[in-house]
Amino acid sequence: MAKTNPGRFFEDYKLGQVIDHAVPRTVGQGERALYHALYPARHALYSSDEFARGCGLPQSPLDDLAAFHVVFGKTVPDVSLNAVANLGYAEGRWLKPVYPGDTLRSGSEVIGLKQNSNGKTGVVYVRTRGTNQRDETVMDYVRWVMVRKNDLDAPAPDAVVPELKKVLSVDDLAIPEGLDFTNYDFTLAGEPHRWGDYQVGEQIDHVDGVTIEEAEHMMATRLWQNTAKVHFDATFRPDGQRLIYGGHVISMARALSFNGLANAQMIVGLNGGAHANPCFSGLTVRAWSEVLDKAETPVPGVGAIRLRLVATSDGSVGALKGDDGKYLPGVLLDLDYWALMPV
Amino acid sequence: MAKTNPGRFFEDYKLGQVIDHAVPRTVGQGERALYHALYPARHALYSSDEFARGCGLPQSPLDDLAAFHVVFGKTVPDVSLNAVANLGYAEGRWLKPVYPGDTLRSGSEVIGLKQNSNGKTGVVYVRTRGTNQRDETVMDYVRWVMVRKNDLDAPAPDAVVPELKKVLSVDDLAIPEGLDFTNYDFTLAGEPHRWGDYQVGEQIDHVDGVTIEEAEHMMATRLWQNTAKVHFDATFRPDGQRLIYGGHVISMARALSFNGLANAQMIVGLNGGAHANPCFSGLTVRAWSEVLDKAETPVPGVGAIRLRLVATSDGSVGALKGDDGKYLPGVLLDLDYWALMPV
Amino acid sequence: MAKTNPGRFFEDYKLGQVIDHAVPRTVGQGERALYHALYPARHALYSSDEFARGCGLPQSPLDDLAAFHVVFGKTVPDVSLNAVANLGYAEGRWLKPVYPGDTLRSGSEVIGLKQNSNGKTGVVYVRTRGTNQRDETVMDYVRWVMVRKNDLDAPAPDAVVPELKKVLSVDDLAIPEGLDFTNYDFTLAGEPHRWGDYQVGEQIDHVDGVTIEEAEHMMATRLWQNTAKVHFDATFRPDGQRLIYGGHVISMARALSFNGLANAQMIVGLNGGAHANPCFSGLTVRAWSEVLDKAETPVPGVGAIRLRLVATSDGSVGALKGDDGKYLPGVLLDLDYWALMPV
């Protein structure tokens, strides 16, 4: 009996199936420091316990994206080991901050299945939920991936494509208990721009760039216990390149966006995202953002801002797709998220 | 008076000599996180405080091999600075788990000496003991190295070669106080295979590979305060390559062995080991295991499994030595250890 | 309105101006472990809580240079984003050890301004103060940088060049409260040489070398939240090389100096320093030291030693400047500091 994990194939997924993912993980001060070593992260709420307390939280949480990566990483052996492509994200919500000492688990429910017309692959939709040691959901999100069939003769399941919100409304967002920006220190945060200073349609070039190294993306991806071979094994692809985990690009771009969005402190919603082109070591990642929407929240002093975050390998700003509707070759990431800012 | 450490030469060792190694080290959450960033480590007992508590331990310990590396690293300035070769290990026992906050020291006793017939080198056998801040021994092991003579005219000592067990018996193994696998969660651990599912002689191809980077092996080796020049200084060898610390390969192979041995949770005995061929950056490390033996333990629910762990640079599985009795060029490591599994 | 930080230009600085730098930072066990992974740091006081307690401190502090890097990193967006050159340091004092859990902020006062005769640049002198969450100053130092003018027509300010001590006297140095070397364990510290064993004028070749990797210097520099583009972006310089943060070389050389100066435990004063030549990845950093002075301190058992620490890329020892008075091309760093040793 083979003891290693072959991964699931398209015909192995059933609608409504619930998968408890393996290897719970206690995150702590080490993960926090590594996040700051791997990305130029500077949002003050995630850098200083004192600043976080000034905003009504008990201490500085783990970066929201680190929480996402930990929850996501656990799904890889069950969801994307035989995936051909990571097609999209929707309805991502951060529901509870994650603090050093918390232990995260994750589980997924199959909410959609659709075999492709070629009969060789299909699309699997899962809603993944990350929970802490108190069984509180810290985040959930929907992801869909294209997965290979192993047995091409397996019958196609009834096609079910879930209805997903294109954009979360502000009512869908969870604002951490106690969050209070009334004594927010803009000087310590690094920029004076408040929620009211941003206009829908405004674009911000985040200026700085980081050239990507193999050792760094592998350390990051391992830290989240993401085991996809293509990130680590230079013999896996014919071109000898290691494909960089898309989440590494997300974290890099988000960290770079500090320069111009220092007060977009907390990520609370993920509306969608596309890994437009693959990223490899040696590329220099830059980022720009566009304000897509703004909304008031029920919490005094806290505004929500919807941002498009684009990572590029060519330093372009504002350009996204060509006339053919496809992403331009210099675009690595197109992410649509909600963040909280002081009004 | 020269103030730097010239290291000891063969004639400087005396039978029965006890060496207290320098630089005690407090290990914590940072070392734990770095271990997970540097190796694809996923054994649940070392990943989650909750899982460890479910197994009767107070919290998740530092990886057993991290404890070994810390204890080993301290011996380098005293034992292997002038070593020509690291010849072998025996009688390695993990006696107490190491927890964040523990401070480790190590000391060695010279238990054997044998000058080589060329008169230029000799073999030194030491038993090294790692202790924590309560003077409890956390692990001990025997290592023997070939060391250069500085004064070729120094008389050869009486040859003493210690009698070492080829294999530890199950009675030699220490099972951590409180360890209890009766409520073991196989789903969270990642695989359903229990001790009873493994057969002596069974071989497991761990499938995954990791291509080695300079920055990673140097960070790991520094973290264990191992100062051997050959790991860090590209000008040291004529070929300009940095030789990778053998322990980096051990940890990499052990972490890769999760895929097929996810429930071989704790390493408790080291029967022997050979660094069959040198490892350099750019190689892709893979691993396979062979079940060498199985034994019941006095603790209900806990079985011991003796495993051969082989790291390769060529992806071969099952092949170890050529007709000449020498390790094949694609074999990096041949390790023989005992682990604890739920029965 | 542009939202990204353009940095300050020479004409933006006013004498007496006080700048509160952004992004406070809580440092912890993760930063401590990363410091040991990035540098071959082995000074026992910073490695072991038990050793630190044996020296009268409550636990092992964060490395003194890590504290310096955190305080320094915060000044970059306000002081050196448009700097042409980092000209010098003076009057650096470590006033309080930094412990895991402390939150550091920093602020600078402009204490000197002098426009250069070319009218295009000027020299800005700042005194930077790092404080912890109790508003205690943990360190302060003076730095001067050459900064570009943006508006070449801006009038030159009155030239004010502060009088700075060439060398701190022993009375300027702060000895941590409680520090006590009377039960100092030289065996655990790694070397027998005490303060009395060092002679003014003595030179020590620290022997070991480390070849520098891109991933490592970037991780270090990010960890200190130093955002200068030139360290991260390979497209920034015409030669495609990333300039290594000078502080990375300082920490590397200091860590290498353990071999010969294992008992120069605590850095308490920075008299001056020059980054003699730029450092790039691929170079192998070595170090040598010269004893410049010695002084008794008011604390029994604690001596002060003034050291020149030189980092090189060519392994030279003792040579510093050519006949033209300029640093030789193989010299990377020339640092002048005070450390505390057991007498």
Side-chain angles (χ1 to χ4, degrees):
Chain A
M1 168 183 156
K3 294 209 165 59
T4 50
N5 176 21
R8 281 177 177 78
F9 293 91
F10 180 67
E11 65 270 23
D12 298 325
Y13 294 95
K14 308 293 163 204
L15 197 72
Q17 185 180 3
V18 172
I19 305 170
D20 289 326
H21 304 302
V23 192
R25 172 117 190 111
T26 304
V27 292
Q29 291 178 25
E31 283 75 10
R32 199 167 172 276
L34 272 162
Y35 198 85
H36 282 85
L38 292 164
Y39 307 107
R42 290 192 288 151
H43 286 90
L45 195 54
Y46 301 85
S47 177
S48 162
D49 284 346
E50 302 296 316
F51 191 94
R53 280 193 272 271
C55 295
L57 302 184
Q59 67 178 113
S60 186
L62 202 69
D63 196 281
D64 304 311
L65 290 174
F68 170 74
H69 297 320
V70 171
V71 171
F72 180 100
K74 299 188 188 326
T75 71
V76 170
D78 293 318
V79 175
S80 43
L81 212 61
N82 299 309
V84 184
N86 197 19
L87 298 174
Y89 306 101
E91 298 186 4
R93 298 179 308 159
W94 281 258
L95 299 166
K96 286 262 177 192
V98 174
Y99 294 104
D102 281 357
T103 299
L104 301 182
R105 283 176 296 124
S106 68
S108 297
E109 183 181 350
V110 179
I111 60 168
L113 287 171
K114 186 170 184 303
Q115 184 166 312
N116 287 326
S117 53
N118 63 16
K120 295 180 180 170
T121 56
V123 179
V124 180
Y125 295 79
V126 294
R127 186 179 303 273
T128 296
R129 182 167 283 114
T131 49
N132 65 17
Q133 69 279 13
R134 290 179 298 278
D135 275 323
E136 297 163 336
T137 301
V138 298
M139 76 165 307
D140 58 14
Y141 65 94
V142 173
R143 173 164 80 119
W144 55 106
V145 292
M146 193 188 301
V147 180
R148 276 198 300 276
K149 291 184 75 169
N150 191 34
D151 172 9
L152 297 185
D153 298 330
D158 291 338
V160 175
V161 174
E163 277 193 48
L164 298 169
K165 296 182 184 179
K166 291 261 181 271
V167 179
L168 294 169
S169 82
V170 72
D171 299 332
D172 295 320
L173 307 177
I175 297 175
E177 204 183 314
L179 190 72
D180 179 355
F181 284 157
T182 52
N183 294 311
Y184 190 88
D185 187 328
F186 288 86
T187 300
L188 285 183
E191 291 183 351
H193 326 301
R194 36 178 88 231
W195 181 81
D197 296 327
Y198 290 85
Q199 309 301 324
V200 174
E202 181 176 354
Q203 288 187 346
I204 302 157
D205 175 3
H206 301 302
V207 181
D208 306 306
V210 173
T211 306
I212 301 286
E213 294 293 317
E214 301 282 16
E216 292 177 351
H217 78 80
M218 291 202 299
M219 288 182 68
T221 309
R222 265 189 225 110
L223 190 59
W224 321 127
Q225 298 178 304
N226 177 332
T227 59
K229 293 173 184 62
V230 74
H231 307 319
F232 301 106
D233 181 347
T235 70
F236 191 74
R237 287 167 55 102
D239 65 4
Q241 288 194 291
R242 279 163 272 184
L243 179 70
I244 289 171
Y245 164 48
H248 190 63
V249 179
I250 295 177
S251 278
M252 191 61 83
R254 160 70 177 167
L256 289 169
S257 79
F258 175 91
N259 196 353
L261 283 165
N263 297 319
Q265 288 284 356
M266 307 192 85
I267 299 182
V268 286
L270 177 64
N271 297 309
H275 300 291
N277 282 288
C279 184
F280 301 104
S281 78
L283 295 181
T284 298
V285 174
R286 288 184 167 72
W288 58 274
S289 293
E290 181 180 346
V291 180
L292 296 178
D293 200 1
K294 293 171 62 178
E296 294 180 358
T297 80
V299 177
V302 177
I305 187 168
R306 184 181 155 214
L307 295 159
R308 177 196 295 280
L309 173 62
V310 179
T312 73
S313 60
D314 65 359
S316 60
V317 175
L320 211 52
K321 295 183 178 178
D323 293 339
D324 56 2
K326 292 186 180 163
Y327 281 107
L328 295 168
V331 175
L332 299 172
L333 170 77
D334 179 14
L335 198 80
D336 180 340
Y337 72 102
W338 281 105
L340 301 181
M341 290 189 98
V343 295
Chain B
M1 166 182 157
K3 293 209 166 60
T4 51
N5 176 22
R8 283 177 174 78
F9 294 91
F10 180 67
E11 65 270 23
D12 298 326
Y13 294 94
K14 308 293 163 204
L15 197 72
Q17 185 180 3
V18 172
I19 305 169
D20 290 325
H21 305 302
V23 191
R25 172 116 189 109
T26 305
V27 292
Q29 291 179 26
E31 283 75 11
R32 198 167 173 278
L34 272 162
Y35 198 84
H36 283 84
L38 292 164
Y39 307 107
R42 290 192 288 151
H43 285 91
L45 196 54
Y46 300 87
S47 178
S48 162
D49 284 345
E50 302 295 317
F51 192 94
R53 281 194 271 271
C55 296
L57 302 184
Q59 67 177 114
S60 185
L62 202 68
D63 195 281
D64 304 310
L65 291 173
F68 170 74
H69 297 320
V70 171
V71 171
F72 180 100
K74 300 189 187 325
T75 70
V76 169
D78 292 318
V79 175
S80 42
L81 213 62
N82 298 310
V84 184
N86 197 19
L87 297 173
Y89 306 101
E91 298 185 5
R93 297 179 310 159
W94 281 259
L95 300 166
K96 286 262 175 192
V98 174
Y99 293 104
D102 281 357
T103 298
L104 300 182
R105 283 177 295 123
S106 69
S108 298
E109 182 181 351
V110 179
I111 60 167
L113 287 171
K114 185 171 184 302
Q115 183 165 314
N116 286 326
S117 52
N118 63 15
K120 296 180 179 168
T121 56
V123 179
V124 180
Y125 296 79
V126 294
R127 187 180 302 273
T128 296
R129 182 167 283 115
T131 50
N132 66 19
Q133 69 279 14
R134 291 179 297 277
D135 275 323
E136 298 162 336
T137 302
V138 298
M139 75 164 308
D140 59 14
Y141 65 92
V142 174
R143 174 163 79 119
W144 54 107
V145 292
M146 193 189 301
V147 180
R148 276 199 300 275
K149 292 184 75 168
N150 191 36
D151 173 9
L152 296 185
D153 297 330
D158 292 338
V160 175
V161 175
E163 277 193 48
L164 297 169
K165 295 182 186 179
K166 291 262 181 271
V167 179
L168 293 169
S169 81
V170 72
D171 298 332
D172 296 321
L173 307 177
I175 298 176
E177 205 182 312
L179 190 72
D180 179 354
F181 284 157
T182 51
N183 294 311
Y184 190 88
D185 188 327
F186 288 86
T187 300
L188 284 184
E191 291 183 351
H193 325 302
R194 36 179 88 232
W195 181 82
D197 296 328
Y198 290 85
Q199 309 301 324
V200 174
E202 183 176 353
Q203 287 186 347
I204 301 157
D205 175 3
H206 301 302
V207 181
D208 305 306
V210 173
T211 306
I212 301 286
E213 293 294 317
E214 300 283 15
E216 291 178 351
H217 78 80
M218 292 204 298
M219 288 182 68
T221 308
R222 265 188 223 109
L223 190 59
W224 320 128
Q225 297 178 306
N226 177 331
T227 59
K229 293 173 184 64
V230 73
H231 306 319
F232 301 105
D233 181 347
T235 70
F236 190 73
R237 288 167 55 102
D239 64 4
Q241 287 193 290
R242 279 162 271 184
L243 179 70
I244 289 171
Y245 164 48
H248 190 64
V249 178
I250 295 177
S251 278
M252 192 60 83
R254 160 71 177 166
L256 289 169
S257 79
F258 176 91
N259 196 353
L261 284 166
N263 297 318
Q265 288 285 355
M266 306 193 86
I267 300 182
V268 286
L270 177 64
N271 298 308
H275 299 291
N277 283 287
C279 184
F280 301 104
S281 78
L283 295 180
T284 298
V285 174
R286 286 183 169 72
W288 58 273
S289 294
E290 181 180 346
V291 180
L292 296 178
D293 200 2
K294 293 172 61 180
E296 293 180 0
T297 80
V299 177
V302 176
I305 187 166
R306 183 179 157 216
L307 294 159
R308 177 196 294 280
L309 173 61
V310 179
T312 73
S313 60
D314 64 359
S316 60
V317 175
L320 212 51
K321 294 183 179 179
D323 293 338
D324 57 1
K326 291 186 179 162
Y327 281 107
L328 296 168
V331 174
L332 298 171
L333 170 77
D334 179 14
L335 198 81
D336 179 340
Y337 72 102
W338 281 106
L340 301 180
M341 289 188 98
V343 296
Chain C
M1 167 184 156
K3 293 208 165 60
T4 51
N5 175 21
R8 281 177 176 77
F9 294 90
F10 181 67
E11 65 270 22
D12 298 326
Y13 293 95
K14 308 294 163 203
L15 197 70
Q17 185 181 4
V18 172
I19 305 169
D20 290 326
H21 305 302
V23 191
R25 172 117 190 109
T26 304
V27 292
Q29 291 179 25
E31 283 74 12
R32 198 168 173 277
L34 272 162
Y35 198 84
H36 283 84
L38 292 164
Y39 307 107
R42 289 192 289 151
H43 286 90
L45 195 53
Y46 300 86
S47 178
S48 163
D49 283 346
E50 303 295 318
F51 192 94
R53 281 193 271 271
C55 295
L57 302 184
Q59 68 178 113
S60 185
L62 203 68
D63 196 280
D64 304 309
L65 291 174
F68 170 74
H69 297 320
V70 171
V71 171
F72 180 99
K74 300 188 188 325
T75 71
V76 169
D78 293 318
V79 175
S80 42
L81 213 62
N82 299 309
V84 184
N86 197 20
L87 297 173
Y89 306 102
E91 298 186 4
R93 298 179 308 159
W94 281 259
L95 300 166
K96 286 261 177 193
V98 174
Y99 294 105
D102 281 357
T103 299
L104 301 183
R105 282 176 296 124
S106 69
S108 298
E109 183 181 350
V110 179
I111 60 167
L113 287 171
K114 185 170 184 303
Q115 184 165 313
N116 286 327
S117 53
N118 63 15
K120 295 180 180 170
T121 57
V123 179
V124 180
Y125 296 78
V126 293
R127 186 179 301 274
T128 297
R129 182 168 283 116
T131 49
N132 65 18
Q133 69 278 13
R134 291 179 297 277
D135 275 323
E136 298 163 338
T137 302
V138 298
M139 76 164 307
D140 59 13
Y141 65 92
V142 173
R143 173 163 80 120
W144 54 107
V145 292
M146 192 188 303
V147 180
R148 277 199 297 277
K149 292 185 75 168
N150 191 35
D151 173 10
L152 297 185
D153 297 330
D158 292 338
V160 175
V161 175
E163 277 194 48
L164 298 169
K165 296 183 186 180
K166 290 261 181 270
V167 179
L168 293 169
S169 82
V170 71
D171 299 332
D172 296 319
L173 307 176
I175 297 176
E177 204 183 313
L179 190 73
D180 178 355
F181 283 156
T182 52
N183 294 311
Y184 189 89
D185 187 328
F186 288 86
T187 300
L188 284 183
E191 291 183 352
H193 326 301
R194 35 179 89 233
W195 182 81
D197 296 328
Y198 290 84
Q199 310 300 324
V200 174
E202 182 176 354
Q203 287 186 346
I204 301 157
D205 175 1
H206 301 301
V207 180
D208 306 307
V210 173
T211 307
I212 300 286
E213 294 294 317
E214 301 282 15
E216 292 178 351
H217 78 81
M218 291 203 299
M219 287 182 68
T221 309
R222 265 189 226 110
L223 190 59
W224 321 128
Q225 298 178 305
N226 176 331
T227 59
K229 293 173 184 63
V230 74
H231 306 319
F232 301 106
D233 181 346
T235 70
F236 191 74
R237 288 167 54 103
D239 64 5
Q241 288 194 289
R242 280 163 270 185
L243 179 70
I244 289 172
Y245 163 49
H248 190 63
V249 179
I250 296 177
S251 279
M252 191 61 82
R254 160 70 177 166
L256 288 169
S257 79
F258 175 91
N259 196 353
L261 283 166
N263 297 319
Q265 289 283 355
M266 305 193 86
I267 300 183
V268 286
L270 177 63
N271 298 309
H275 300 290
N277 282 287
C279 185
F280 301 105
S281 80
L283 295 180
T284 298
V285 174
R286 288 184 167 72
W288 58 273
S289 293
E290 181 180 348
V291 181
L292 296 178
D293 201 1
K294 293 171 62 180
E296 294 180 358
T297 80
V299 177
V302 177
I305 186 166
R306 185 181 155 214
L307 294 160
R308 177 197 295 279
L309 173 63
V310 179
T312 73
S313 59
D314 63 359
S316 60
V317 174
L320 213 51
K321 294 183 178 178
D323 294 338
D324 56 2
K326 291 187 180 163
Y327 281 107
L328 295 168
V331 175
L332 298 171
L333 171 77
D334 179 14
L335 198 80
D336 179 339
Y337 72 102
W338 281 105
L340 300 180
M341 288 188 100
V343 296

